[in-house]
Structures are given as C-alpha cells and as structure tokens.
Amino acid sequence: MTTMQALPESSTTSTPVKMLRTVLDFFTKHPFLLGLSIRLALMILLPLLLDDGILLQGVRYTDIDYDVFTDAAAHVKHGNSPFRRHTYRYTPFLAVILSWAEVTDVTGKNTMMERCFHHGLNWWKHPRYFGRLLFCIADALCGFIILHLRRKERNETTTTKKEETNEDDKRCDSGGGIGGLIPVELQDSLWWLFNPLPINICTRG
C-alpha cells in the first residue's frame, strides 16, 4: 500500500498565488505613486470615453458641480464675482485657483506637428483637466497623510508591546486576509489611496 509523500512547502504554493503576492508587494511598496497614477489615468481616460460618447452615448462621467466650478472660474478670469454663476455656493478661493486654467491657442503654429506638440505639453492647463488634476493631487496627498499617520500609530503601539509575542501572533497582527496574504501596510493604503470612492469623486471633478 503506497503512501503519499508530503510536498515541499515551496511547491505547495501555486503560481497564481505567487503572482498575487508579487502584485500585492508592488502595491505595498509604492502606494502613493500608484494611487496618484490611477487617479491621473482615470482622470484623462474616462471623460474621453464617456463625456465624448466614445464608449457610451448619453452617459456623462464629469460631475455637474465641475461645470459649476469652471463656469465660476471663467467669471473670475473676466474680473467678475464667481457667485454670478447660478448655484455656485463654494469658497471664492476655489474659483480663483481654477481661473488659472487656460485654453491653449495653437492657431499660430505653422505645422500640424507643432500644434500637436504644443497641445500635448499644455493639455493639463485646459479647464477640462486643470481642476481635476488639482483634485487628484490633493486627494492622493490626503491618502499619503492617512497612510503616514496609521503607520506611525502602529509603530508607536508596537514599541509598547512586550517582545515575548510568538511568531504566530506576529503574523496575525501584521498580516491580513486569508493566511496573512494582504500585508498590513497595504491595508493602510486601501483606506484611501486605493479606495474606489475617493478615486471616483476626485476624477469626476
């Protein structure tokens, strides 16, 4: 009667699990850059796909309040009060900041290549993206502050604990999910940097 031999521990881990751990490790080491990159990518792509009707007709991604912001900023740029825009009930400081946006004029460029190059360098100044860019940067910075505070609090708490904690308890405290697969540092990022709700809010405007 044959008996089954136990497989080595390294061979029991499947390839998908290893790939998942690699991805999670990458997200854990660079949370701020990845969180900001996700926001910037969605900020550019989703308005193009939805607002311009490339992906779906009649489905708009941009929040209606963003139109209110940009209209109020246009009033400020022309020397008027932002409150001339109906339903603008926000701080004038926001309208002043958004008034720094500008529409790039490429009519003076000689060739199509020069126009495309000039427009490519100044796309972020367009009112369609300028406010979103500021919102995404500010939102990612909020996530970074939350991440820093959570790690600082956890480090201070760890120093007060006794060093007699066994390895199993350490794994339960520092891990997460099934079998400690999700590191606690990544859990800190999930609170804000990789949270779909704030990502959706800041990229919509």
Side-chain angles (χ1 to χ4, degrees):
M1 187 173 180
T2 58
T3 57
M4 296 182 62
Q5 296 180 351
L7 294 175
E9 184 178 355
S10 58
S11 63
T12 58
T13 304
S14 61
T15 302
V17 174
K18 292 181 180 179
M19 294 177 60
L20 179 60
R21 287 179 176 174
T22 302
V23 173
L24 293 179
D25 185 61
F26 182 72
F27 273 78
T28 303
K29 291 182 178 179
H30 311 282
F32 175 75
L33 293 179
L34 285 174
L36 180 59
S37 299
I38 292 172
R39 285 163 173 78
L40 296 181
L42 296 179
M43 175 197 80
I44 298 173
L45 292 177
L46 291 181
L48 289 174
L49 295 175
L50 297 178
D51 293 359
D52 295 345
I54 297 177
L55 183 62
L56 292 174
Q57 296 287 341
V59 178
R60 198 165 185 265
Y61 184 74
T62 301
D63 195 295
I64 188 64
D65 282 338
Y66 189 72
D67 294 334
V68 177
F69 297 156
T70 54
D71 291 345
H75 283 296
V76 172
K77 199 164 190 175
H78 290 88
N80 300 319
S81 170
F83 297 104
R84 295 187 62 179
R85 189 359 173 136
H86 182 61
T87 71
Y88 185 80
R89 302 179 295 269
Y90 312 95
T91 171
F93 184 63
L94 175 61
V96 171
I97 294 179
L98 297 184
S99 67
W100 298 341
E102 58 185 31
V103 178
T104 305
D105 184 12
V106 296
T107 56
K109 301 301 177 182
N110 296 327
T111 64
M112 180 64 68
M113 183 65 69
E114 291 179 351
R115 295 180 183 180
C116 294
F117 181 75
H118 186 78
H119 182 73
L121 291 178
N122 297 278
W123 65 269
W124 58 274
K125 295 182 181 179
H126 195 279
R128 184 179 192 180
Y129 299 109
F130 184 75
R132 294 182 221 254
L133 179 63
L134 296 181
F135 298 158
C136 289
I137 294 175
D139 190 71
L141 288 176
C142 287
F144 177 78
I145 293 174
I146 293 174
L147 182 68
H148 175 74
L149 292 178
R150 283 183 58 84
R151 290 180 177 179
K152 181 180 179 181
E153 180 182 3
R154 185 173 59 255
N155 290 335
E156 292 177 351
T157 304
T158 303
T159 56
T160 60
K161 290 182 178 180
K162 296 181 180 180
E163 298 180 357
E164 299 174 353
T165 307
N166 56 44
E167 293 298 327
D168 293 336
D169 291 336
K170 288 182 179 179
R171 186 175 184 182
C172 292
D173 292 338
S174 62
I178 301 175
L181 183 62
I182 302 179
V184 69
E185 290 82 4
L186 181 57
Q187 295 181 32
D188 296 339
S189 304
L190 293 175
W191 279 99
W192 195 273
L193 283 172
F194 301 139
N195 189 332
L197 181 59
I199 291 176
N200 176 262
I201 293 174
C202 67
T203 54
R204 291 187 66 196

